[in-house]
Amino acid sequence: MRRRGYASGEARRERILAIALQEFAENGYRGASLARIAERSELSQAGLLHHFTSKGRLLVAVLEYRDEVDARRFDLESMTGVAALRTLADVVDYNARVPGLVQLFSVISGEAVTADHPGHAWARARYRRLRQAVAGALRRGAAAGEFRADLDAEAHADRLIAMMDGLQTQWLIDQDHVDMAAIFRGYVDDLITTLRP
């Protein structure tokens, strides 16, 4: 009996997170409304706050939920160089099909530059994890002979992440003229060629 209650509680939590993700994607943190999230979740605001004690905690839970889903979909930790770079290009391809998620990430990342924003610690930790994962994959690629042994894995990881984020911003502003998936895939192809031994 307890298991079923746990499962239904987890399902309810995931539903709230999916709805909140959409609300934050559409309106950013500051413009998102707990009342709208509660209504769309078919809960009272007090019921919503029972699951997530504040708007800030709900935002962090949504961001962590999105990261978990992405980590399951795109596991860089188990990949070496070329496969990891191609996977990053696949991530950008996927992002081109989910503009709301890209907008959420861009809005929250922009808002989270201030230390008092509830997403600030998440953003800092996320960038550190991503840099570490990409640099690790590049180093494994060098160890496997796919890339030059003297590559600066951290610098290339920073550039790749900056390229992804910059293209996302340009794409959100002008989707008719910025093909972020094609541009990023071209950048990855060029980088693979440059890093070959």
Side-chain angles (χ1 to χ4, degrees):
M1 184 74 167
R2 242 180 147 167
R3 241 79 184 126
R4 188 178 349 182
Y6 175 78
S8 66
E10 276 300 301
R12 182 178 306 115
R13 184 178 188 281
E14 285 216 17
R15 183 169 184 271
I16 294 167
L17 290 173
I19 289 166
L21 188 150
Q22 185 176 5
E23 175 72 19
F24 287 129
E26 292 167 359
N27 300 295
Y29 173 73
R30 299 199 196 310
S33 161
L34 284 179
R36 273 192 310 266
I37 294 168
E39 181 181 330
R40 290 167 69 180
S41 301
E42 299 176 353
L43 294 169
S44 66
Q45 196 163 334
L48 177 64
L49 290 171
H50 170 77
H51 293 281
F52 304 95
T53 57
S54 69
K55 185 177 175 183
R57 288 190 189 272
L58 177 57
L59 172 68
V60 171
V62 164
L63 296 171
E64 289 172 348
Y65 170 73
R66 178 187 180 266
D67 284 350
E68 288 169 19
V69 169
D70 283 352
R72 286 191 301 264
R73 186 179 291 121
F74 305 107
D75 179 20
L76 291 178
E77 297 293 330
S78 66
M79 297 179 191
T80 60
V82 172
L85 291 177
R86 299 257 185 249
T87 296
L88 288 175
D90 292 343
V91 168
V92 175
D93 283 338
Y94 172 77
N95 286 347
R97 295 188 301 273
V98 289
L101 286 178
V102 175
Q103 183 175 338
L104 169 68
F105 171 79
S106 296
V107 168
I108 298 303
S109 293
E111 290 178 342
V113 298
T114 58
D116 65 335
H117 189 279
H120 182 78
W122 165 83
R124 184 177 50 231
R126 181 185 181 281
Y127 275 115
R128 287 178 180 170
R129 273 192 319 272
L130 186 56
R131 279 194 306 268
Q132 182 180 3
V134 173
L138 294 173
R139 280 193 295 278
R140 288 189 298 278
E146 295 177 342
F147 297 146
R148 295 188 326 261
D150 66 342
L151 71 85
D152 184 342
E154 284 72 21
H156 285 294
D158 286 338
R159 287 184 203 112
L160 281 158
I161 295 164
M163 174 66 86
M164 289 175 81
D165 287 358
L167 280 171
Q168 285 183 160
T169 300
Q170 292 179 56
W171 176 74
L172 284 169
I173 292 168
D174 192 5
Q175 291 181 25
D176 292 336
H177 292 97
V178 177
D179 184 345
M180 75 171 170
I183 294 167
F184 188 74
R185 196 163 293 279
Y187 177 74
V188 164
D189 290 343
D190 292 346
L191 183 59
I192 290 169
T193 300
T194 300
L195 295 179
R196 292 274 189 209

